[in-house]
Amino acid sequence: MTGQLSPAAETISHANALYAQALGTNLEGDPQEILARLREVVALDPHFSTAQVKIGDLLLRLGQVEPALEQLQAAAAANPDSAAIEAILSYAQRLHGDNSEALRLSQDALAKDVNQTVAMRVMLEIASDQNDLSGGVIHVEDILKNGSSNVSGSAWLALAKLYIEIARSDFQSPSGNTILKTLLPIYQQAASQRPPSVETLTLLSDTYRDLGQKREALNVLQQAGALEPSNVDIILRCADLETELEQKIAALKDYEQAYALNPSLTGLRETLIRLYLDNERFDDAASLLQQALADMPHDPGLEIDLGIAYEGAHQHEKAEACFQHAFASSACNAEAYLKLAVFHLARKELTQAGEILTAAQTRFPKSPKVQFYEAITYRYEKNYSTALACLSQMRALTLDEGGDALDINYYLESALVMNLAKQPDQIEPTLREGLSKYPANPDLMNELAYFWADRNDHLSEALTLSKRALAQDPDSGAIQDTCGWVYYKMGQAKDALPYLQRAALMTDNDPVVLQHVGDAYLKLGRRREAIAAWRLALEKDHGNPDLTNRIDAALAQAKNAHTRSAPNQ
């Protein structure tokens, strides 16, 4: 061996050196200089496809469509197997106005190499011009599915990014829900490629979540978390979804893990404190609250929380010291009193709650919220007329402040107390007023739909309203029950039963829901299953006369039917 390259090899080596030199040129400098060097490259080696693509791309960026088209056609002839040249040529043909040829070239390029994003762009832009962007996406999907068996997830992600870009720039941009439904199968395909990336799984989870499919979103996000177990963002997003799905223990565990990884994250300690208190882990709450008070020693709200934690942990002297210190502070507001009152209400300690609220009203006589929680206390005591008076006072105080800041809870509580006080005439106007202010709130929709169903009134409207509420909150057992109950009242027990069965599952066999399940079974002639449902309800609501009467009546009917069908002796 002489150590010298052959003439052909030397030419290729020289071409590569020139190409490297061209790439090293400042791209913000003279583009003609870059073109000149790249042309030297392809003159030496016409099969240097990457250089051919660079020349075509630079000419197109300079607006020189005709020269680009001529150069790329020659390059394609010299390199008939180059998908990259074919893809950029398809883009040049589109700019030239020949969409038919552009589409043919882009399809061929993508079939050769599924990673040719320029070809994807051409196909989607042409489809968008024809008002069929979704059809263009499906066409690209089909090519990717029929391509190499090892299509990478990045090819699917590239399709998703291009679709989003073109959809949002389209004059007739599709709705957000349409965009999400189009993206979902793309991200599913990307995630099916092994191994999936955290980015892919996160995008798929976000899409599921935005479509309201929270369980699927959580499942995918947990897969992402398994790939990056120390990713605090993923852990917190899992915790948020678990909270929305009422998976409280799992959510708390994830918040604890996130806090252990990054205790300085803004708001995380406060979230964990609230969860500890809600889950009655009072010692853990006290430990974090002591740290928080060391950072903010003059915060009466924290002192109240610490007192609640001590109270829950049966350290009564420490709790009382915290409460006295907080209430003596000039910075103490009504919210501090209400925190303690809510704690007592949750434990059915009505006397203590009443004393705190009385003290709060003395100090903050114009606080609508104090009146609101007084109403709740009186409701617990079954003093419904006084509860309604407190709600009326709350309304007056709110209006006195120069506006109508009545919140959703005011309307829900008012409707509940009116029903308990057997004053139904104002329930519908109250809920309608609430919905006029909060038209998208599923709880208000649900209350009004259920009220109508119970009265056998406005059933068609009730069904529409309950389904709107269900679309907003599909994981609500109460809303599932209402939807089923409306169907039942409309005489459609067969349609009602699946909703009522789901409601029973979601509410852990709430006795009212089970009563509805039994009623639906009986209407369908399934007496034995109806009795079983009512008996299960009676286990949770001992002595309920409605349930007892239903069971007795059904058993009597069964006995009579058996007697009539018995053979004559």
Side-chain angles (χ1 to χ4, degrees), residues 342-420:
V342 168
F343 171 74
H344 288 305
L345 285 172
R347 297 160 71 91
K348 299 294 190 292
E349 297 169 354
L350 302 184
T351 301
Q352 295 92 322
E355 290 172 354
I356 295 297
L357 288 168
T358 299
Q361 188 175 20
T362 301
R363 187 167 180 178
F364 306 100
K366 294 186 177 181
S367 169
K369 281 193 173 182
V370 172
Q371 291 291 336
F372 177 74
Y373 283 101
E374 285 204 309
I376 293 175
T377 304
Y378 284 120
R379 169 166 64 81
Y380 281 0
E381 294 175 346
K382 300 184 179 182
N383 188 346
Y384 304 127
S385 59
T386 307
L388 285 173
C390 288
L391 290 167
S392 178
Q393 181 65 13
M394 174 190 177
R395 185 183 188 96
L397 288 170
T398 305
L399 293 173
D400 287 346
E401 291 179 352
D404 187 0
L406 296 172
D407 62 9
I408 293 165
N409 290 326
Y410 162 79
Y411 292 103
L412 293 171
E413 180 68 19
S414 295
L416 173 60
V417 177
M418 289 170 184
N419 183 55
L420 292 169

Side-chain angles (χ1 to χ4, degrees), residues 39 42 52 55-57 59-60 64-78 85 88-93 96:
R39 282 175 171 144
V42 299
Q52 299 275 23
I55 293 172
D57 183 57
L59 288 170
L60 291 175
Q64 299 178 29
V65 177
E66 294 296 336
L69 193 58
E70 182 180 346
Q71 181 266 330
L72 289 168
Q73 286 171 331
I85 292 176
I88 194 70
L89 177 56
S90 74
Y91 193 64
Q93 289 286 15
H96 184 61

